[in-house]
RNA sequence: GGGGAGAUUCCAGAGCGGUCAAAUGGGGCAGACUGUAAAUCUGUUGGCGCAGCCUUCGGAGGUUCGAAUCCUCCUCUCCCCA
């Protein structure tokens, strides 16, 4: 399989350095992607890089994941309008080990084959690099003029920038370049991949390799993933969409992909799944026949959820979606047995309230705010209720003064509260 | 160091000393429509015991029957000159 052609039809190539394709055709190549360990879980913004590496491995090459322990301590100025907060070493180490576990799901690290992936941490070679050594061995080879010409730097030095840029951040490209150089020397790594915002940093690396080692190294960047409505990809109102099921439940995760727009779905399915061109072309064709069925979104959500989570998690998410958004009525809801009910609402916020408090009935406002904390403000609740935005057990509530009592409990235990169409909360009585 | 401008509710940005919980736009939330979409339309967007009350307009004081609007000091931001 031709890696470059593969990425190309998937729309995953933004810029590619001349000669890269030839190199990959000629020999088994090692490439790396850097990931900043700014949290103890990856989010779907990281997924593009991960997919690049995955395709790379499938194409018969060797991927390296570089966890940026050192670079994470500095902060990349690319795309940032202000100085990053620095992380301490303990946090970084913790984050690294968590990320490592997540990545093992995507790539083969263990097989012992020559294409088995590796993980490295640049902290390990940067930590003993003295400042003197650094400015002599690295700084010597790159001019400030060259560094200043990078967009990431120019942007921060321009008139519009009110923040300025610290020397630390200015140095970032050298540190990243050092990574590339190090991997080039120690592991024969000749290719670095990343988001298009990394182009400048990557070329500093290839430049270093050229000047210091008279070597040739290459670069591929992928386009920034965007959403057709212009909002930043990978964010929901609640924030990032994480791979960690503790942070983003598989159900929410599945829902994220399911809710992607038609236009985005066509692009995403190429990027985030391993489906072949034929399969995808057929899906797109089918989808265009009956857009309301959202075949593309469903398949996309399916594939990605399995890849990131498990088949079981997907089954749950699909079932939950079916019950929540299908023709499910108050009636079918009340027929659910407890086990199904709980599995469907896995990950939905749940609060426990003493059953005795429900026995005599309790004001809906008090129940949903003071008792459970689901809503901070009773004014907001009143507004929602007035506007038909609150349901209990799928029944619209339109009177803020009404009482809720234990006769309404599903299975004698649960109340399903709904805000709008998509936000659910569960109250458990015991 | 000198001179100027400004700090308003999530953001932007109005705001005659009373009728300002504060225009307008954006964003958010909800409703209708729909494909759990987009577009559109509608409502809403400080809190509460909600036809009333309470706390807000950088901070602290003051003038006044009454201040986001006037005065004083403080803090911070931006711009220009040196």
């Amino acid at each position: 399989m031709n890696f470059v052609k593969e990425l190309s039809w998937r729309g995953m190539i933004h810029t590619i350095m001349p000669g890269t394709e030839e190199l990959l055709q000629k020999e088994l190549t090692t490439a790396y992607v850097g990931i900043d360990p700014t949290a103890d879980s990856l989010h779907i913004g990281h997924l593009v890089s991960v997919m690049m590496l995955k395709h790379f491995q499938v194409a018969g090459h060797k991927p390296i994941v570089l966890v940026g322990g050192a670079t994470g301590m500095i902060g990349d100025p690319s795309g940032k309008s202000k100085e990053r907060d620095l992380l301490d070493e303990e946090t970084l180490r913790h984050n690294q080990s968590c990320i490592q576990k997540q990545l093992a799901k995507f790539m083969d690290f263990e097989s012992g084959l020559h294409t088995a992936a590796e993980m490295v941490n640049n902290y390990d070679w940067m930590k003993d690099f003295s400042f003197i050594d650094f400015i002599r061995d690295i700084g010597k080879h790159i001019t400030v003029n060259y560094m200043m010409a990078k967009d990431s730097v120019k942007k921060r030095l321009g008139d519009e920038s009110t923040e300025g840029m610290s020397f630390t951040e200015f140095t970032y490209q050298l540190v990243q370049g050092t990574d590339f150089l190090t991997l080039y020397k120690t592991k024969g790594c000749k290719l670095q991949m990343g988001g298009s915002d990394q182009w400048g940093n990557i070329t500093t690396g290839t430049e270093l390799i050229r000047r210091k080692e008279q070597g040739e190294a290459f670069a591929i960047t992928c386009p920034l993933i965007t959403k057709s409505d212009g909002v930043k990809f990978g964010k929901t109102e609640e924030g990032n969409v994480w791979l960690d099921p503790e942070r983003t439940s598989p159900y929410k995760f599945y829902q994220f992909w399911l809710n992607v727009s038609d236009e985005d779905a066509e692009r995403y399915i190429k990027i985030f799944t391993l489906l072949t061109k034929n399969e995808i072309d057929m899906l797109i064709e089918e989808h265009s026949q009956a857009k309301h069925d959202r075949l593309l979104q469903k398949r996309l959500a399916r594939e990605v959820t399995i890849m990131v989570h498990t088949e079981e998690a997907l089954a749950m998410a699909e079932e939950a979606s079916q019950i929540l958004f299908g023709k499910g009525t108050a009636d079918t809801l009340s027929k659910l047995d407890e086990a199904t009910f709980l599995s469907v609402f896995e990950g939905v916020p749940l609060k426990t309230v003493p059953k005795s408090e429900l026995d005599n009935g309790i004001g809906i406002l008090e129940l949903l705010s003071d008792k459970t904390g689901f809503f901070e403000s009773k004014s907001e609740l009143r507004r929602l209720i007035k506007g038909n935005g609150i349901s209990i057990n799928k029944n619209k509530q339109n009177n803020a003064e009404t009482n809720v009592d234990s006769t309404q409990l599903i299975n004698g235990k649960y109340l399903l509260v709904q805000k709008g169409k998509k936000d659910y909360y569960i109250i458990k009585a015991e």
Side-chain angles (χ1 to χ4, degrees), chain A residues 162-275:
Chain A
T162 54
E163 281 283 327
M165 176 168 62
S166 66
F167 179 69
T168 308
E169 281 191 297
F170 179 58
T171 316
Y172 186 91
Q173 54 175 296
L174 286 187
V175 179
Q176 186 166 327
T178 304
D179 289 343
F180 200 176
L181 178 65
T182 305
L183 290 175
Y184 176 82
K185 285 200 289 191
T186 60
K187 298 191 182 293
C189 175
K190 290 187 185 168
L191 173 62
Q192 184 180 169
M193 303 190 286
S196 54
D197 58 335
Q198 291 301 309
W199 184 256
N201 292 332
I202 296 175
T203 52
T204 298
T206 59
E207 194 64 17
L208 257 183
I209 290 168
R210 185 183 344 268
R211 296 195 187 176
K212 214 169 137 49
E213 300 291 319
Q214 291 76 48
E216 200 175 9
F218 300 87
I220 297 179
T221 59
C222 65
L224 200 66
I225 307 298
T226 55
K227 279 178 52 172
S228 49
D229 62 5
V231 179
K232 192 171 183 222
F233 169 77
K235 297 270 189 184
T236 65
E237 300 73 47
E238 294 98 60
N240 283 325
V241 178
W242 300 93
L243 303 199
D244 181 355
E246 297 295 318
R247 286 178 179 248
T248 301
S249 71
Y251 163 74
K252 283 254 160 93
F253 186 86
Y254 175 84
Q255 284 285 321
F256 171 82
W257 296 102
L258 193 65
N259 278 310
V260 150
S261 72
D262 294 342
E263 192 185 324
D264 290 338
E266 280 193 31
R267 286 187 296 130
Y268 295 171
I269 200 165
K270 292 176 191 162
I271 296 173
F272 296 106
T273 75
L274 292 176
L275 299 177

Side-chain angles (χ1 to χ4, degrees), chain A residues 53-197:
Chain A
L53 282 184
K54 173 143 190 141
H55 285 297
F56 193 67
Q57 188 173 48
V58 170
H61 297 288
K62 181 182 178 68
I64 293 180
V65 178
L66 179 143
V67 174
T71 29
M73 286 176 143
I74 299 174
D76 180 3
S78 306
K80 310 266 177 355
S81 54
K82 62 182 198 186
E83 185 95 20
R84 164 109 50 103
D85 294 332
L86 305 184
L87 299 171
D88 60 74
E89 187 183 347
E90 193 191 339
T91 312
L92 285 168
R93 286 292 182 191
H94 168 73
N95 293 348
Q96 182 200 342
S97 69
C98 294
I99 288 171
Q100 195 152 4
K101 278 181 211 138
Q102 290 185 335
L103 283 170
K105 282 190 117 157
F106 295 90
M107 274 170 276
D108 156 37
F109 281 86
E110 312 246 281
S111 68
L113 295 174
H114 47 278
T115 58
E118 264 187 72
M119 174 169 288
V120 295
N121 188 336
N122 60 9
Y123 186 75
D124 293 329
W125 59 77
M126 288 308 299
K127 68 169 188 285
D128 297 323
F129 213 154
S130 81
F131 181 71
I132 297 283
D133 289 341
F134 185 74
I135 57 176
R136 286 179 39 146
D137 293 350
I138 303 298
K140 205 78 177 117
H141 298 277
I142 300 287
T143 63
V144 171
N145 310 54
Y146 177 81
M147 293 171 71
M148 302 247 287
K150 307 276 172 179
D151 279 349
S152 61
V153 174
K154 268 197 285 193
K155 213 173 293 169
R156 293 285 291 275
L157 295 178
D159 292 340
E160 307 89 79
S161 173
T162 54
E163 281 283 327
M165 176 168 62
S166 66
F167 179 69
T168 308
E169 281 191 297
F170 179 58
T171 316
Y172 186 91
Q173 54 175 296
L174 286 187
V175 179
Q176 186 166 327
T178 304
D179 289 343
F180 200 176
L181 178 65
T182 305
L183 290 175
Y184 176 82
K185 285 200 289 191
T186 60
K187 298 191 182 293
C189 175
K190 290 187 185 168
L191 173 62
Q192 184 180 169
M193 303 190 286
S196 54
D197 58 335

Side-chain angles (χ1 to χ4, degrees), chain A residues 395-408:
Chain A
N395 293 317
K396 290 282 184 197
Q397 303 295 307
N398 41 36
N399 179 4
E401 306 309 323
T402 192
N403 273 353
V404 179
D405 64 54
S406 40
T407 62
Q408 298 171 45

